Amino acid sequence: IAEHADLGDFKTLEQFILETQSEYEHSSGSFSRLLRDMSVAAKIVNRDMRRAGLLDIYGQTGITNVQGEVQKKMDALAHKEFVLALRRGGECCLIGSEEHAEAIPIDASSESDGHYIVLMDPLDGSSNIDVNVSVGTIFSIYRIPDDVPPEEATLDDALQPGTDQVAAGYIVYGSSTMLVYTTGHGVNGFTLDPSIGEFLLSHRNLQTPDRGSICSINSGNYHAFDQGLRDYLNWLQEYDENDPNRPAKTRYIGSFVSDFHRNMLMGGIYMYPSTQGNPDGKLRLMYEANPMAFLIEQAGGKATNGKTRIMELEPESLHQRTPLFIGSPDMVDRAHAFLQGNAPQQ
Ligand code: P6P
C-alpha cells in the first residue's frame, strides 16, 4: 500500500513551522516553540468549547472584566488555558489579554530567550457562546526591545505599532476549528483534525480577492454614522448591471473572527466605525485590529481606521479601541472615498 499512498499535501502545523521558521528566525527555535504553545492551548480551548454545553460551562462567572462586560465562563477558561500554555512553554515574558486589566508578567524559562510578548483576545464574540454561534481567539506577537531583559519587560514594551508585530493569528471555533497565522511571509490556514489532534495545512498562502459582495456592519448604528459612511452603504445597496458585487450581501455574525475569516476567503469588508455607544469604535487596537490588519495585508487586503493604516497607529494603552475598516483592498479604498466626501460618480 505504502508505495501507492497519495502523499498529498498532508502537513501538520508543527511540520510547517519547522520547515518555514528555520528560514526566518535565528536558530534558537524559541519562536517556533511559542507558536506550538499557542496551538496546544487552541486544542484545549476547542475541546472545552465543543463540550461547553455538556460541562455546564456556558453562562457567566459573574466577574466583570476590564471592558465592563460580564465574563462568560468560556472567556475565563480560554484566558486561563492560553496563559497556562504560555507559562508552561516559557517562550514569552509578558501577556496582554482582553480578560485582564493589567499586563501579566511570565517567568521565562531558563532554557529559552523568552523575548516574546503575546497580546490576545482569548475568546472574541463571547456573547455568541450561549447561542452556539462561532467564536474565536485572536493573538498578536511582538519581541521585547533587545536591551530589555525578559524579567524587566513592562506594558510599555508591549505598546508597539502593529508594523512591529513578528506574528499574528487567530483560531476560529466554527463548523471546523481553524488556526490561521502569519509571520510576515504570507498567510496560511490549518484545519484541526480532532481524530488525530493535529492542525493540518488546508489553506496555503491565502490571498483575499480585490473586491467582493459582502458587507459586514451593524446597521443598527446607522443613525450614528457619518454621512459619508451612509452614502457608501447606500451605494453598496444600489443595483448596477455592470457591477456583479452590487447590491452587496450583508453578513454580520456579531463575531469578528468569523466575519473576518469569511470575508478574507470570499472578498468583503468589515466595518466597525465610531458609533454613539462606542465613539472610538469597539474593536481593540492591540489584540484585535492590529493582528487582523497584519493578516489582511499579508493576504493582499487593507485595514484602516477610516483615515490611517491601522498598523501605523501609535498605541497609548493596552485596551484602547479604534474604528476599523478591514478587508478587500478595493472595498476599503472605496469606503475611504465616500468617507472623505469624494465619492466616485459611477
Ligand atoms: P455589536 C464581539 O463582542 C465584538 O467585539 C466583535 O466580535 C463583533 O463583531 C462586535 O463586537 C459586535 O458588536 O455592537 O455589533 O454587537
Side-chain angles (χ1 to χ4, degrees):
I1 293 172
E3 65 268 19
H4 300 299
D6 169 14
L7 295 180
D9 197 18
F10 183 101
K11 194 177 293 290
T12 67
L13 174 61
E14 278 71 19
Q15 286 169 321
F16 185 83
I17 291 171
L18 286 175
E19 283 171 19
T20 53
Q21 281 316 106
S22 53
E23 295 170 48
Y24 306 127
E25 73 181 86
H26 38 279
S27 58
S28 74
S30 172
F31 183 67
S32 299
R33 290 191 295 273
L34 177 64
L35 286 175
R36 177 213 52 206
D37 298 339
M38 292 299 286
S39 70
V40 168
K43 292 177 196 174
I44 294 170
V45 170
N46 176 68
R47 176 202 62 195
D48 295 341
M49 178 70 63
R50 300 299 175 191
R51 298 187 309 174
L54 307 174
L55 298 178
D56 184 32
I57 55 178
Y58 281 120
Q60 301 172 359
T61 58
I63 302 166
T64 302
N65 69 14
V66 65
Q67 317 299 333
E69 296 156 351
V70 176
Q71 213 169 44
K72 303 269 186 190
K73 281 182 184 172
M74 274 310 301
D75 268 357
L77 194 59
H79 169 84
K80 183 169 74 64
E81 292 301 349
F82 278 96
V83 172
L84 275 178
L86 291 169
R87 278 196 199 285
R88 278 193 298 265
E91 303 303 338
C92 96
C93 60
L94 195 70
I95 295 174
S97 169
E98 191 221 21
E99 298 302 331
H100 209 271
E102 304 304 324
I104 305 164
I106 302 286
D107 298 335
S109 59
S110 52
E111 60 269 18
S112 88
D113 66 10
H115 277 83
Y116 295 107
I117 294 170
V118 174
L119 305 180
M120 65 180 176
D121 184 355
L123 212 55
D124 175 71
S126 53
S127 54
N128 293 301
I129 293 173
D130 292 351
V131 292
N132 203 12
V133 167
S134 298
V135 291
T137 299
I138 310 173
F139 62 88
S140 171
I141 300 176
Y142 290 90
R143 274 186 71 86
I144 54 174
D146 290 339
D147 61 346
V148 175
E151 63 277 8
E152 294 175 18
T154 65
L155 179 58
D156 283 349
D157 301 314
L159 296 181
Q160 303 177 31
T163 47
D164 290 349
Q165 291 174 96
V166 293
Y170 59 85
I171 299 101
V172 53
Y173 310 95
S175 46
S176 63
T177 297
M178 277 192 70
L179 186 150
V180 179
Y181 82 96
T182 184
T183 59
H185 306 282
V187 179
N188 292 281
F190 300 79
T191 301
L192 181 66
D193 178 340
S195 67
I196 58 171
E198 291 284 3
F199 279 106
L200 302 180
L201 180 62
S202 54
H203 296 68
R204 187 187 283 270
N205 194 24
L206 277 168
Q207 289 293 299
T208 194
D210 288 341
R211 66 190 68 81
S213 60
I214 298 174
C215 172
S216 303
I217 190 168
N218 183 341
S219 304
N221 295 314
Y222 185 86
H223 63 283
F225 292 160
D226 295 342
Q227 189 56 47
L229 178 54
R230 293 182 182 189
D231 293 343
Y232 177 51
L233 295 175
N234 296 333
W235 180 83
L236 281 174
Q237 298 312 324
E238 287 168 3
Y239 173 79
D240 177 340
E241 62 183 359
N242 300 315
D243 184 349
N245 292 316
R246 289 193 296 142
K249 292 190 285 283
T250 297
R251 295 284 185 278
Y252 190 70
I253 300 175
S255 181
F256 177 41
V257 175
S258 304
D259 281 321
F260 175 89
H261 181 74
R262 179 206 53 241
N263 291 359
M264 180 167 66
L265 296 182
M266 299 181 68
I269 186 169
Y270 171 99
M271 296 176 277
Y272 206 108
S274 164
T275 65
Q276 207 161 336
N278 290 289
D280 297 327
K282 183 177 183 186
L283 279 293
R284 282 66 131 210
L285 174 63
M286 296 312 291
Y287 42 78
E288 289 177 317
N290 263 331
M292 294 312 218
F294 191 11
L295 284 156
I296 202 68
E297 290 196 5
Q298 284 289 313
K302 287 192 175 183
T304 75
N305 63 359
K307 290 188 287 286
T308 308
R309 186 178 170 222
I310 287 289
M311 292 212 286
E312 289 177 359
L313 296 175
E314 273 306 323
E316 291 163 9
S317 66
L318 176 60
H319 301 293
Q320 75 183 74
R321 299 175 191 266
T322 175
L324 180 62
F325 296 76
I326 187 167
S328 295
D330 291 2
M331 297 181 83
V332 174
D333 287 345
R334 177 83 66 174
H336 272 223
F338 277 94
L339 289 171
Q340 280 135 30
N342 42 23
Q345 292 319 309
Q346 75 278 12

